Amino acid sequence: MLTAETTNAYLSILREELVPATGCTEPIALAYAAARLRVLLGAAPTRIEADISGNIIKNVKSVVVPNTGGRKGIAAAIAAGVVAGDAARELQVIADVPAAKHAAIGAYAGATPIDIRCADTTRLLDIRLTGHAGAHTAAVQIANSHTNIVFESRDGEVLLQKPFTDSPEDNLTDKSVLNVADILEFADTVDLARVQDLLEAQLSCNLAIAQEGLAHPWGAQVGAILLAETPDPDAKTEAKAWAAAGSDARMSGCEMPVVILSGSGNQGITASVPVARYAQRLGAPREKLYRALLVSNLVTIEQKSGIGRLSAYCGAVSAGVGAGAGIAYLLDGGYEAIAHTVVNAVAILSGTICDGAKPSCAAKIAASVDAGILGYQMYKHRREFKGGEGIVTKGVDNTIRNIGILASEGMRETDRTILSIMTRPCD
């Protein structure tokens, strides 16, 4: 039986991870830092040095920054934060920028020297902006998670300095308590009044952006193509298409908010939308949907706790596996079904690379959801990938740990190669 301490840890993890964000979280973290920089200086900087980790550069390079008039990249994100950002709103820092300010954002980005450098740092998520205005200088640093400001200074005076390490889990609840058996017990037994607000926000926001992605020609239109190719789509096709459509919109600058998971809007969409669409097809009661979402979210978070927030390992894969587990909960509900679903699914697509946030993320999401559902279908037919086959080992949580080792240790050189291919500042 879960202790009250473990239950409270799970609730704390959910509240830390399920938060709203408008726009891809890496450019939004830059915009947040830039908005804080303007506050510290008391004016818009006339010159900025941006020392940024390679994984931030990778994830900002090709994604549209919302509320900027379709602009992409680091300079656009920083300019949006300086010109129109509300730092008090953190990951919704540029959620309400009027169209009238889009031209000012472009003008600022074009006229202001912004020196972008690939930081010499061991942290995958590291942003340090230094700004100058008149005789004044200020600096802001974010490390390890997207809103974790660890340092601020003005004119040489340190205003904030928090201890931090290289761990992406700095200042967050310890996730070593997560395991599939306890996740299932938590989902089965928790008082839903304690999580309903989080889950309703996740459903409302993430289904809405998926509908937007299907209704309008965002990105590569992966979601719409999946439905167009299947005039009478089954539940599996619909789950893939709706999740992909949410990413179609998000990666191409849609201004609608998303409830993120493990620091990622794409992961938040992938872990929730397929489960919701399956629940609708099944006519499942709201309570069952909530509990299935808890399984999906927490299985995703368990995987990501070993991988890290940013990696060469595509986070959509983890969320697709989580979605498969949530769907298995809807269809079966037992530990054996969920454990086998997870092991089967991680064996299918593990090693899929992350080469930055961009329209092709939608296609990776569709493939990941497919793998998650196939993992359950294999279980239903009494087929499985066994321990000793590749990275699969005995025990679902041990296999999840292997994924963390693969991503955090085995793919380091892959990450460097991807960065070298994508962007010259990291050569």
Side-chain angles (χ1 to χ4, degrees), residues 120-153:
D120 182 13
T121 175
T122 53
R123 288 172 291 278
L124 299 180
L125 195 165
D126 204 338
I127 296 167
R128 187 181 181 96
L129 302 185
T130 304
H132 309 270
H136 300 291
T137 299
V140 177
Q141 184 176 5
I142 292 174
N144 296 320
S145 57
H146 295 80
T147 58
N148 185 36
I149 295 179
V150 297
F151 179 84
E152 291 185 339
S153 69

Side-chain angles (χ1 to χ4, degrees), residues 36 40 139-141 148-154 157-163:
R36 280 297 307 161
L40 292 173
V140 177
Q141 184 176 5
N148 185 36
I149 295 179
V150 297
F151 179 84
E152 291 185 339
S153 69
R154 185 176 189 272
E157 179 186 358
V158 175
L159 305 175
L160 170 71
Q161 189 161 24
K162 292 182 357 186

